[in-house]
Amino acid sequence: MSAPKSSSLFALLLTTALVSTAPAAEAENGWVDLIPSQAPSGEIPGWGWFCEDAGVPPGQVWRLSPDGVLQCSGTPRGYLFTQRDYADFELRLEWRFPGDKAGRGGVLLRTTGPHRIWPKSLEAQINSPDAGDFWGLGGFRFEGPGDRLEIVRDADSGKLTHLSKVEAAEKPAGRWNTYEITVRGDEVVLVINGRRVNRATRCETLPGKICLTAEGDPIEFRNIRLRVLGDSQK
């Protein structure tokens, strides 16, 4: 997410187009694939869909290609969300902006409360060139080093907490990036392309959904895998 702008022009409406609740395929060493290699047209098993425009089905924004790439057109804005809640986990995925133009996107962690643009959550930023930043959305509380932490107040989004990354690690548009996200207790650590770029502390610990955002620009994901840490899956 970028610094917030007024969303008064958007009707923040919830579409109830929930997709199949099929469980994720089991993988070795506790890892599960959150996105299947194949899925029926317009369905992403195990995920639900929220959109700012009422009645827009997930298949209009998200598509799973034959080679297992989750393709997002970016508009209208919204997000896929896991139908399960997670508290402590490791999440690994790859993302890229197709073509030669960078764009916007994000991964929302421990998402709770009403669906809206944007829900209460901790965002692992993907917006270029800010991949690796944290945003506390909807009043989500966390802490970090004071020289990189700022509090933003917006009339529509309320209190936002921003923690900038320690270094840039993302690749140019068109190339795949890896994100390794570890959520354990009140600590969340971000690793991009093998480099540790951020750490948030004293985070809220309530279990919540994991979301992949559509923020106006085409973006692609693949190899989305999760491993629950301890007995933290709801």
Side-chain angles (χ1 to χ4, degrees):
M1 136 170 205
S2 304
K5 297 181 180 180
S6 173
S7 58
S8 60
L9 297 179
F10 298 99
L12 304 182
L13 302 174
L14 173 64
T15 177
T16 57
L18 295 181
V19 295
S20 169
T21 59
E26 290 297 330
E28 61 183 15
N29 300 322
W31 289 95
V32 297
D33 295 318
L34 292 186
I35 300 292
S37 59
Q38 295 181 341
S41 177
E43 293 187 6
I44 309 296
W47 296 73
W49 164 239
F50 169 79
C51 182
E52 65 184 354
D53 290 349
V56 173
Q60 184 173 318
V61 182
W62 299 86
R63 175 181 175 271
L64 189 62
S65 73
D67 58 352
V69 175
L70 182 61
Q71 301 170 329
C72 176
S73 67
T75 57
R77 296 184 308 170
Y79 49 87
L80 291 178
F81 59 89
T82 58
Q83 293 176 333
R84 297 180 180 180
D85 290 347
Y86 300 93
D88 293 356
F89 56 89
E90 294 177 87
L91 178 66
R92 296 179 181 175
L93 58 84
E94 296 176 68
W95 93 86
R96 72 176 178 184
F97 298 107
D100 58 2
K101 181 181 179 181
R104 295 166 290 182
V107 182
L108 309 186
L109 314 168
R110 291 181 176 166
T111 306
T112 59
H115 290 290
R116 65 188 185 101
I117 306 292
W118 299 102
K120 183 176 182 180
S121 58
L122 178 63
E123 180 181 26
Q125 181 68 275
I126 293 180
N127 285 13
S128 184
D130 299 320
D133 284 8
F134 279 116
W135 280 93
L137 308 179
F140 188 99
R141 299 186 304 276
F142 72 93
E143 295 182 5
D147 60 336
R148 294 188 287 113
L149 189 73
E150 64 174 337
I151 304 298
V152 179
R153 296 190 181 275
D154 177 77
D156 296 310
S157 301
K159 178 183 176 182
L160 303 172
T161 305
H162 175 230
L163 181 65
S164 60
K165 61 188 180 300
V166 296
E167 63 173 312
E170 64 188 282
K171 299 176 183 179
R175 299 178 60 185
W176 287 104
N177 299 272
T178 62
Y179 227 149
E180 299 174 53
I181 302 171
T182 302
V183 182
R184 189 193 303 268
D186 67 354
E187 178 187 74
V188 179
V189 175
L190 304 181
V191 175
I192 294 179
N193 296 324
R195 293 154 67 181
R196 178 165 157 161
V197 297
N198 218 338
R199 173 176 175 263
T201 58
R202 302 191 70 176
C203 301
E204 296 188 40
T205 58
L206 187 68
K209 316 263 183 220
I210 298 169
C211 307
L212 304 176
T213 67
E215 298 192 31
D217 299 307
I219 187 171
E220 297 179 342
F221 297 91
R222 70 180 184 184
N223 298 327
I224 305 172
R225 308 182 76 205
L226 178 139
R227 178 166 65 180
V228 171
L229 300 176
D231 186 21
S232 63
Q233 180 176 320
K234 185 176 179 181

